[in-house]
Amino acid sequence: MRTDVRIDLNAGEIRRLLYGPVGPVVRFIRSVARRVRTRAVLTCPVDTGRLRTAHREEVGVRAGRVYGFVENTVEYAAAVHDGTAAHVIRPRRPGGVLRFVTGGQVVFTSLVNHPGTRAQPWLREAMEDVARQEGFRLVRR
């Protein structure tokens, strides 16, 4: 017994499913990005709240690839996320002094040896948590 099967592929429909703004692939990536952003906002370190409110997500199609990302654009986000090494803090202007309060005392000095800060990788951890729940395998580069 022989059976003939014919499959007609509609390239336009396949493109719409894969890359269309309401296609299942883009919808899935959008939902993952939204979950990563929500988790990042909830686990972000908070001092003034500025870091927490600066998360943004983007999902789209470029060069035939669906992409999604979550970022934080505050200028100090990378220093909080990745930590900082020990470093010297100097006045902005030559001959200037630094002023700060420690232990209730006002201190003036020409430099400070900052010990650095520990990393608080809330954004990476949010991505890892959501990615694992969705069954992604994470590869570090």
Side-chain angles (χ1 to χ4, degrees):
M1 180 163 107
R2 181 177 164 195
T3 304
D4 290 330
V5 176
R6 179 180 168 175
I7 300 173
D8 290 327
L9 299 176
N10 180 329
E13 186 64 17
I14 290 172
R15 260 193 315 282
R16 186 185 69 74
L17 286 171
L18 292 176
Y19 308 119
V22 293
V25 175
V26 173
R27 273 197 330 255
F28 172 70
I29 297 301
R30 185 173 286 119
S31 85
V32 170
R34 187 172 299 123
R35 288 178 48 212
V36 169
R37 179 175 178 247
T38 299
R39 179 117 176 104
V41 167
L42 293 173
T43 59
C44 176
V46 178
D47 186 12
T48 65
R50 185 168 166 228
L51 193 63
R52 176 171 277 176
T53 62
H55 292 89
R56 92 178 181 91
E57 67 189 74
E58 183 177 319
V59 176
V61 180
R62 186 180 308 132
R65 293 183 177 211
V66 179
Y67 70 90
F69 64 83
V70 177
E71 68 180 351
N72 191 302
T73 57
V74 172
E75 65 276 0
Y76 58 86
V80 175
H81 191 272
D82 301 332
T84 61
H87 57 282
V88 175
I89 301 174
R90 298 182 191 283
R92 288 189 182 123
R93 282 174 261 150
V97 293
L98 299 169
R99 178 193 180 279
F100 60 94
V101 178
T102 182
Q105 298 276 49
V106 176
V107 176
F108 295 93
T109 184
S110 59
L111 68 92
V112 173
N113 289 312
H114 192 285
T117 56
R118 69 176 176 79
Q120 300 179 67
W122 81 94
L123 194 52
R124 188 191 73 228
E125 290 168 355
M127 184 272 306
E128 289 173 345
D129 290 347
V130 172
R132 281 193 188 99
Q133 289 171 12
E134 290 297 333
F136 288 101
R137 185 174 61 88
L138 301 172
V139 178
R140 294 203 191 266
R141 293 183 189 216

